[in-house]
Amino acid sequence: MLSGVKLVLMARYQNKKYLEWVRTQDCVMCGHEGWDGNQIIAHHAISIPGLQIGGMGTKAGDTLAMPMHVLCHRKFHDQFHAYKEDQPIWLMKFLQKSLTHQLTQTS
């Protein structure tokens, strides 16, 4: 306990089917689809201020994954400070797309 506050570790949410769908979408960073040698992977959000997700030694749940090319993913991590303010915007746009997709599949 820290200053009377009990810390609770939540289990990381995982969903293989959702990640498979994420990998079929266009890259959030450049907007293009994947191709041989530069496939789309599921990037899990990291270090978003105010949210306790994807910090050092942890990985965000699969609901916070977004599609990125292998090369864009490498560039994102290599130049994180250049893209850290873009990541929450990409995530919100992709979550909106994901929710819209889910709602149209269940209607």
Side-chain angles (χ1 to χ4, degrees):
M1 289 185 45
L2 297 172
S3 303
V5 176
K6 183 178 179 181
L7 296 177
V8 178
L9 295 177
M10 296 179 62
R12 184 178 160 277
Y13 177 76
Q14 296 178 293
N15 187 313
K16 185 177 179 179
K17 185 176 179 182
Y18 179 70
L19 292 182
E20 288 172 0
W21 178 78
V22 168
R23 292 182 195 107
T24 67
Q25 303 304 302
D26 294 341
C27 178
V28 295
M29 200 165 161
C30 72
H32 297 287
E33 62 185 34
W35 62 87
D36 289 341
N38 196 20
Q39 296 85 6
I40 296 288
I41 61 171
H43 164 72
H44 290 76
I46 60 168
S47 303
I48 295 178
L51 300 176
Q52 301 301 318
I53 56 170
M56 182 69 80
T58 65
K59 187 175 189 178
D62 290 347
T63 54
L64 299 176
M66 59 196 107
M68 272 190 193
H69 286 118
V70 170
L71 297 176
C72 288
H73 188 251
R74 180 78 268 139
K75 183 176 180 180
F76 173 83
H77 283 283
D78 288 347
Q79 300 173 21
F80 175 71
H81 292 291
Y83 295 107
K84 68 180 178 182
E85 293 180 9
D86 295 324
Q87 181 185 220
I89 296 165
W90 298 333
L91 180 60
M92 293 306 296
K93 286 180 178 180
F94 188 71
L95 287 174
Q96 181 179 17
K97 180 178 182 174
S98 175
L99 182 58
T100 302
H101 172 77
Q102 181 62 33
L103 291 173
T104 59
Q105 296 301 308
T106 58
S107 315

